[in-house]
Amino acid sequence: MAAAPSAALSRRERQIMDILYRRGRATVGEVMEDLTGQPAYSTVRAQLRVLEEKGHVRHEEQQLRYVYLPTISRTTVRRSALKHLLDTFFEGSPEKVVETLVGPERSRLSDEELERMADLIDKARREAKRR
């Protein structure tokens, strides 16, 4: 049985997880097709084994091949990554994240994106009042 998923993933591990989420399931060869660069088969297989040990993927045997599948939802991984980002770069403050998004870089956000963000904040306020 795999251990509880740990949050720390390397850049390459995140790339592999993105491939598995996009494909749903993949062999080592299929993962290699989607990776940048030209990693060796044994390297990708080892990285998948590490991801399995960390609890992020599992494998099934199909016709003498291992097929890898994510074990945790993309939403769970996003939340974990966001918490890590928040704690590491923004002192745990969601407000500082928003300030960074809408501050000097505001020109990168469309009016529609800003409106959707405002709607999400309004929705969060309404839900907080119901609790």
Side-chain angles (χ1 to χ4, degrees):
M1 181 176 210
S6 61
L9 296 179
S10 70
R11 180 182 60 83
R12 184 59 100 182
E13 288 170 342
R14 286 191 310 271
Q15 290 173 342
I16 291 171
M17 290 303 300
D18 285 342
I19 291 166
L20 292 175
Y21 285 125
R22 191 171 50 253
R23 286 182 172 256
R25 56 192 311 123
T27 64
V28 174
E30 291 168 335
V31 170
M32 288 176 64
E33 289 173 13
D34 292 356
L35 283 173
T36 58
Q38 295 182 337
Y41 181 91
S42 59
T43 301
V44 175
R45 189 181 66 216
Q47 289 169 321
L48 283 161
R49 187 174 50 248
V50 168
L51 284 167
E52 193 165 16
E53 289 169 2
K54 288 182 176 183
H56 288 274
V57 303
R58 67 180 176 84
H59 73 270
E60 297 174 349
E61 281 191 55
Q62 291 183 350
Q63 300 173 349
L64 303 177
R65 298 184 312 173
Y66 280 6
V67 178
Y68 293 88
L69 304 92
T71 58
I72 54 179
S73 74
R74 191 172 224 166
T75 300
T76 300
V77 173
R78 280 184 186 146
R79 284 186 184 130
S80 175
L82 183 58
K83 181 180 178 346
H84 177 72
L85 181 76
L86 199 66
D87 292 344
T88 303
F89 297 104
F90 297 97
E91 301 164 12
S93 169
E95 181 181 348
K96 289 183 180 185
V97 173
V98 173
E99 180 183 5
T100 300
L101 287 172
V102 300
E105 299 297 316
R106 187 261 185 254
S107 61
R108 291 185 174 182
L109 295 173
S110 69
D111 287 339
E112 293 81 19
E113 289 170 316
L114 288 169
E115 189 61 38
R116 285 192 301 269
M117 292 167 89
D119 289 345
L120 289 169
I121 292 168
D122 289 341
K123 181 181 175 185
R125 281 188 182 128
R126 287 191 303 272
E127 289 177 3
K129 287 179 183 178
R130 282 189 244 156
R131 293 183 206 161

